[in-house]
Amino acid sequence: MKKLLKEIRHNPLLWLLVFVPAVLAGEKLKPEAHTLLFVLSVLAIVPLAALLSHATESVAAKTGDAVGGLLNATLGNLTELVIALAALHAGQYMLVKASIAGAIVTNTLFMLGASFLLGGLKHHVQEYNRVSACMQAGLLFLATIALLIPSMVSQADSAARAAFTRKLSVGLALLLILAYGLGMLFSLKTHSELFASAEHSEASEAPWPLGLALPTLAGVTVLVALVSEVFVESVQKAAEAFGMTPAFVGFIVVALVGGAAEMASAFSGARKNRLDLSVGIALGSASQIALFVAPVLVLVSYFVGPTPMDLQFWPDAVIMILLATLTASLVTNSGRSAWFIGALLLMVYLIFAMTLYLLPPRAG
Amino acid sequence: MKKLLKEIRHNPLLWLLVFVPAVLAGEKLKPEAHTLLFVLSVLAIVPLAALLSHATESVAAKTGDAVGGLLNATLGNLTELVIALAALHAGQYMLVKASIAGAIVTNTLFMLGASFLLGGLKHHVQEYNRVSACMQAGLLFLATIALLIPSMVSQADSAARAAFTRKLSVGLALLLILAYGLGMLFSLKTHSELFASAEHSEASEAPWPLGLALPTLAGVTVLVALVSEVFVESVQKAAEAFGMTPAFVGFIVVALVGGAAEMASAFSGARKNRLDLSVGIALGSASQIALFVAPVLVLVSYFVGPTPMDLQFWPDAVIMILLATLTASLVTNSGRSAWFIGALLLMVYLIFAMTLYLLPPRAG
Amino acid sequence: MKKLLKEIRHNPLLWLLVFVPAVLAGEKLKPEAHTLLFVLSVLAIVPLAALLSHATESVAAKTGDAVGGLLNATLGNLTELVIALAALHAGQYMLVKASIAGAIVTNTLFMLGASFLLGGLKHHVQEYNRVSACMQAGLLFLATIALLIPSMVSQADSAARAAFTRKLSVGLALLLILAYGLGMLFSLKTHSELFASAEHSEASEAPWPLGLALPTLAGVTVLVALVSEVFVESVQKAAEAFGMTPAFVGFIVVALVGGAAEMASAFSGARKNRLDLSVGIALGSASQIALFVAPVLVLVSYFVGPTPMDLQFWPDAVIMILLATLTASLVTNSGRSAWFIGALLLMVYLIFAMTLYLLPPRAG
């Protein structure tokens, strides 16, 4: 506990933890102050995500390579998952789908772009292992195609199509989770040497003892769940106040907030000229959203939400996801990076964000 | 003849030849048993394709490099061509187009994926010549774009569009065949060293003497034609019995059946850690469908079918073909393969198959 | 002046300059002879573009690396820009957009394809720096996505959409020009060693003195503007006479005419086995159209044309541009080229041209 407090004192990001009680108190005292609650909940999720990430890594470090890697990979996107579950529970499918789509796009364009830019401002040209990067980008592309098939084939919206899409989505979710399991086997067991992100934990600070890490993991997950609920309740009204569509909020805001902790690791790797680490985190995290988070949400929707959710994304999201993963493939192709490539990736991300901000809203 | 019988005794695949007389007899005796005839004809085509492939290679081996290579390349997809001609003759354009689309997708996703998986289960990481693979994937991508242009530009279905599509298809077919001719010149004459599939024949069993190979080639082609006719007649009704759409049958069943012989070569190459061979067969065969089989069918349709056939594919097929060839490009990019990449390729193929199986049928 | 006349005597291309007075005289004497004026103006623009290119390079050579490079890059597509401005002034937005789209496609497919073919006919296999090529292809792909976003997201055509598209286009134009500025900084200042096209000028003939280059630059720009006006006025009627749609004229004719000078440099580089130069000119010029010419035209349209122009391209153009830049990425991937790759690139270009020629016209 002392260690936790010490860490909080030394890490300015964690000072934001003060917003956690603030948002929970605000929810009780002023449940109608949607804009305030929205801002507070965003500010509260960021440090919780950072704590969650450190706790996960600490548990992973103690439990040995295989189990630890599994934990790390599975809980790595826990924040996104918890937020999406809160939205699912509230029946806000547009927000859920937008946050899935946004997480993939944000990881590939924003996280990769900012890593290239930050690294490139310090180092003239940065080299990274292009074979690993190509393989990971290839995996991400395959995962993306698999995820997007129902959205690409069923353009009509008749009743027969809806039944077809639902059946396909369930079959797909099961296949994606199977692929995720095989991927774990591949990256942790048979071919662990190919995955730089396995070194992920050693790059960050000293791990906590299990006695601290496990309770933190449990406690923080509960806090994220509580704050997410406030976030999801307030987001609709707050978004209107800021002139943002639900698509924009899910795609950009949730994705940036949920991925804050991983971004910190990726950016610090890039500054230290360890671009393999940054590329591994960015592409690996995006693959995980497609292969694990999205199918879990589909399956859970049969038990949690008002009606089952399918994997039908709206056309703009399909285009943006496909372009983002294609870009990741083409850009990591040379195995070399410089600041301008990062700047262009960020520009494409900015254009996506601008488009979603200006786009008239549509039903989810 | 004794040699042929001896080969049949030693190759269990060829025992399926017993289904050839069975299906022809069945057609005479029970022409209304569509499901039975369908199953019998599928079982009969597989060994015929294997014989055809061996006979072609034997003729090619005897006639010297240039002519042999030409024969090998042109007759390599003879089975697919004969089945498609039977469907064309019966006016089943949906089946023809689905089998063209399916052959490209099956070669790139299934043949490549299974090669990577089978090879990867035996060898930790397999390396292959990435420059050759990139070039072949590039050629395939260009051939695919050329094939798909009419489908991508003419989305409306007015009468003016139909005339436009028909004119464009004929012009395109002539250009594709020209490109195929240039490709022969390139791969057999000026740059034969780049194409691993040229070694194709030496990888397989001892060639037959011409006196055996030529009659076999002629006779088996006739048998394939006869069986294909039964297959095409029975497929519609049988597919209904199995709950399969014509798109699924053409895309998946015809493609797997027609490509069985080539798959056997590709898989055996992968097991022997000769992945260049597998990649060459898979990508080369897919290119050949786009550059040779498809345009020949368009031109022949002016003489054989009830009305001319155009090159307008339905939108889902366009998306699947494009994604498959794009995937081939991105995945062969690293020049390295491991089992999980193969598993993911197979998963995408499975998802395509599942989608086509579940998809409500549409008119061709 | 003597030097200019001497150059004209030695360069057969410049003999076409005789068509400049011809077209201006024709415009005065026979303003209704549209077909004649169209042909004459096309013939007149080609040598003017060549002179413009040489004058720009001469000024660039004299003014030192940074300013020179800036001039070279910014004025490199001056001919295309002046033609498009004339079309903008006449309110022919379809022609403007078609010429933007066509310039990108022509540079990537035709210029690259013809370079590979011409180089490949002389050299067996040509190698070029694949890392530079991959990076430049990656930049081009990112620039293209940025340019095409408004066309890809807003498929409906309601009034709300029109306002959205216009706002997005202006925001986008500003971002693209910012990216262009950063790109200048990158390619001329921080990472000039990566860009082979910087050696561009030394490849061509001896530079002119400033006293000749500057007046030539100014005078020829005025001539191009005058001839472009005739071209734009006559093109509509002449195109009808030749059975060409405005899309075909803008996409193919304007792009080939405007890029003639750069093509000459690229082809000569390829023949001399300096394929890095050819790839750099082709991809760099295409990027420049997307990042500089297109946004400048959008912004200028607020002052020059009858109504503001947006960046909404028609769907076929979007598909062709995306396929062209994707092809450039995949094809330059191997770092090796041979004649058949060039032939296939040209074939895809030919198919695009054939499609646009046959396509029934649509409103811009």
Side-chain angles (χ1 to χ4, degrees), chain A residues 23-283:
Chain A
V23 67
L24 296 178
E27 163 73 352
K28 285 277 165 282
L29 301 174
K30 287 200 157 202
E32 74 294 342
H34 297 296
T35 311
L36 178 73
L37 287 175
F38 170 75
V39 173
L40 288 176
S41 59
V42 165
L43 290 171
I45 288 174
V46 172
L48 289 174
L51 275 182
L52 212 53
S53 163
H54 195 171
T56 307
E57 281 169 17
S58 302
V59 177
K62 296 289 169 193
T63 49
D65 263 13
V67 182
L70 193 70
L71 265 175
N72 223 339
T74 308
L75 301 183
N77 285 312
L78 190 56
T79 316
E80 281 95 335
L81 189 58
V82 172
I83 298 178
L85 282 172
L88 198 65
H89 190 238
Q92 296 210 25
Y93 295 144
M94 182 65 191
L95 190 63
V96 178
K97 289 179 185 176
S99 73
I100 294 172
I104 297 175
V105 171
T106 301
N107 282 335
T108 43
L109 293 181
F110 181 82
M111 205 191 287
L112 207 62
S115 296
F116 284 177
L117 182 60
L118 290 172
L121 291 176
K122 208 166 164 189
H123 308 273
H124 186 67
V125 168
Q126 294 187 290
E127 313 242 341
Y128 51 92
N129 187 333
R130 65 169 290 284
V131 177
S132 288
C134 274
M135 248 176 156
Q136 291 189 56
L139 298 189
L140 174 60
F141 188 70
L142 286 169
T144 311
I145 293 178
L147 180 68
L148 295 180
I149 280 295
S151 314
M152 288 191 284
V153 295
S154 60
Q155 284 127 338
D157 270 305
S158 66
R161 284 279 164 156
F164 156 72
T165 304
R166 195 153 302 162
K167 253 190 289 180
L168 187 59
S169 296
V170 173
L172 198 56
L174 295 172
L175 273 177
L176 288 171
I177 288 179
L178 173 68
Y180 183 71
L182 291 175
M184 288 289 105
L185 194 66
F186 180 68
S187 63
L188 300 174
K189 197 99 190 176
T190 70
H191 289 70
S192 52
E193 80 281 3
L194 291 175
F195 290 82
S197 49
E199 316 163 54
H200 189 23
S201 51
E202 61 149 339
S204 61
E205 318 91 288
W208 294 332
L210 267 191
L212 172 62
L214 278 180
T216 306
L217 191 58
V220 171
T221 304
V222 171
L223 287 178
V224 172
L226 290 174
V227 175
S228 296
E229 217 165 304
V230 181
F231 172 79
V232 167
E233 270 167 34
S234 62
V235 72
Q236 195 101 30
K237 295 257 168 74
E240 281 168 25
F242 288 113
M244 300 187 289
T245 60
F248 179 83
V249 173
F251 208 94
I252 306 290
V253 180
V254 174
L256 285 176
V257 166
E262 280 160 310
M263 284 174 201
S265 305
F267 299 163
S268 120
R271 299 291 293 174
K272 291 178 192 145
N273 208 9
R274 297 180 59 194
L275 218 49
D276 278 305
L277 192 68
S278 314
V279 172
I281 296 175
L283 300 185

Side-chain angles (χ1 to χ4, degrees), chain C residues 228-318:
Chain C
S228 295
E229 218 165 304
V230 181
F231 172 79
V232 168
E233 271 167 32
S234 62
V235 73
Q236 195 100 32
K237 295 257 170 73
E240 280 168 26
F242 287 113
M244 299 188 287
T245 60
F248 179 84
V249 173
F251 209 93
I252 306 291
V253 180
V254 174
L256 285 176
V257 167
E262 281 161 309
M263 284 175 202
S265 305
F267 298 163
S268 120
R271 300 290 293 172
K272 290 176 193 148
N273 208 8
R274 296 180 58 194
L275 217 50
D276 278 305
L277 193 67
S278 314
V279 172
I281 296 174
L283 300 186
S285 183
S287 297
Q288 210 191 352
I289 298 281
L291 290 177
F292 181 70
V293 174
V296 161
L297 288 169
V298 169
L299 297 180
V300 166
S301 79
Y302 278 82
F303 307 103
V304 164
T307 57
M309 187 179 82
D310 59 35
L311 279 173
Q312 175 94 40
F313 291 91
W314 74 109
D316 298 347
V318 173

Side-chain angles (χ1 to χ4, degrees), chain C:
Chain C
M1 202 60 193
K2 228 165 69 188
K3 209 162 179 176
L4 184 57
L5 287 174
K6 194 182 146 206
E7 168 130 12
I8 291 174
R9 252 202 314 279
H10 284 89
N11 187 341
L13 185 69
L14 296 182
W15 297 353
L16 292 174
L17 281 173
V18 72
F19 290 110
V20 178
V23 68
L24 295 178
E27 163 73 353
K28 285 277 165 282
L29 301 174
K30 287 202 154 200
E32 74 294 343
H34 298 295
T35 311
L36 179 71
L37 287 174
F38 169 76
V39 174
L40 287 177
S41 59
V42 166
L43 290 171
I45 288 174
V46 171
L48 289 173
L51 274 183
L52 211 54
S53 162
H54 195 173
T56 307
E57 281 169 16
S58 302
V59 177
K62 296 289 169 192
T63 50
D65 264 12
V67 182
L70 193 71
L71 265 175
N72 222 337
T74 308
L75 301 183
N77 285 313
L78 191 56
T79 315
E80 282 96 334
L81 188 58
V82 172
I83 299 177
L85 281 172
L88 197 66
H89 190 237
Q92 297 210 23
Y93 295 143
M94 182 65 191
L95 190 63
V96 178
K97 289 179 185 176
S99 73
I100 293 172
I104 296 176
V105 171
T106 302
N107 282 336
T108 43
L109 293 181
F110 181 81
M111 205 191 285
L112 207 61
S115 296
F116 284 177
L117 182 60
L118 290 172
L121 290 177
K122 208 165 165 189
H123 309 273
H124 186 67
V125 168
Q126 295 187 289
E127 312 241 343
Y128 52 91
N129 187 335
R130 66 169 289 283
V131 177
S132 287
C134 274
M135 247 175 156
Q136 291 189 59
L139 298 189
L140 173 60
F141 188 69
L142 284 169
T144 311
I145 292 178
L147 181 69
L148 294 181
I149 280 295
S151 314
M152 287 191 285
V153 296
S154 60
Q155 285 127 335
D157 269 305
S158 66
R161 286 279 165 155
F164 156 73
T165 305
R166 194 155 301 163
K167 254 190 289 180
L168 187 58
S169 297
V170 173
L172 198 56
L174 295 172
L175 273 177
L176 289 170
I177 288 180
L178 173 69
Y180 183 70
L182 291 174
M184 288 289 105
L185 193 67
F186 180 69
S187 63
L188 300 174
K189 197 98 189 176
T190 71
H191 289 70
S192 51
E193 79 281 3
L194 292 175
F195 290 83
S197 49
E199 317 163 50
H200 188 23
S201 52
E202 62 148 338
S204 61
E205 319 91 290
W208 293 333
L210 268 193
L212 172 62
L214 277 181
T216 307
L217 191 58
V220 171
T221 304
V222 172
L223 286 178
V224 172
L226 291 174
V227 175
S228 295
E229 218 165 304
V230 181
F231 172 79
V232 168
E233 271 167 32
S234 62
V235 73
Q236 195 100 32
K237 295 257 170 73
E240 280 168 26
F242 287 113
M244 299 188 287
T245 60
F248 179 84
V249 173
F251 209 93
I252 306 291
V253 180
V254 174
L256 285 176
V257 167
E262 281 161 309
M263 284 175 202
S265 305
F267 298 163
S268 120
R271 300 290 293 172
K272 290 176 193 148
N273 208 8
R274 296 180 58 194
L275 217 50
D276 278 305
L277 193 67
S278 314
V279 172
I281 296 174
L283 300 186
S285 183
S287 297
Q288 210 191 352
I289 298 281
L291 290 177
F292 181 70
V293 174
V296 161
L297 288 169
V298 169
L299 297 180
V300 166
S301 79
Y302 278 82
F303 307 103
V304 164
T307 57
M309 187 179 82
D310 59 35
L311 279 173
Q312 175 94 40
F313 291 91
W314 74 109
D316 298 347
V318 173
I319 291 171
M320 289 181 183
I321 295 176
L322 269 187
L323 288 178
T325 55
L326 202 52
T327 302
S329 278
L330 297 178
V331 155
T332 56
N333 219 341
S334 64
R336 289 212 285 176
S337 147
W339 67 265
F340 185 53
I341 297 186
L344 273 186
L345 281 168
L346 288 178
M347 191 189 66
V348 172
Y349 186 70
L350 202 61
I351 291 172
F352 282 6
M354 191 170 77
T355 306
L356 286 172
Y357 188 83
L358 293 175
L359 204 64
R362 51 166 96 202

Side-chain angles (χ1 to χ4, degrees), chain B residues 133-143 329, chain C residues 330-331 344:
Chain B
C134 274
M135 247 174 156
Q136 291 189 58
L139 299 188
L140 173 60
F141 188 70
L142 285 168
S329 279
Chain C
L330 297 178
V331 155
L344 273 186

Side-chain angles (χ1 to χ4, degrees), chain A residues 130-131 135 139 141-142 145-146 149 152-153 161 164 168 172 175 179 182-183 186 190-191 193-194 333, chain B residues 124-125 316 319 323 327 330 333-334 336 338-341 344 347-348 350-352 354-355 358-359 362:
Chain A
R130 65 169 290 284
V131 177
M135 248 176 156
L139 298 189
F141 188 70
L142 286 169
I145 293 178
I149 280 295
M152 288 191 284
V153 295
R161 284 279 164 156
F164 156 72
L168 187 59
L172 198 56
L175 273 177
L182 291 175
F186 180 68
T190 70
H191 289 70
E193 80 281 3
L194 291 175
N333 219 342
Chain B
H124 186 66
V125 169
D316 298 346
I319 290 172
L323 289 178
T327 301
L330 296 178
N333 219 341
S334 62
R336 289 213 285 175
W339 67 266
F340 186 52
I341 297 186
L344 273 186
M347 191 189 65
V348 172
L350 202 61
I351 291 172
F352 283 6
M354 191 171 75
T355 306
L358 293 175
L359 205 65
R362 49 168 97 202

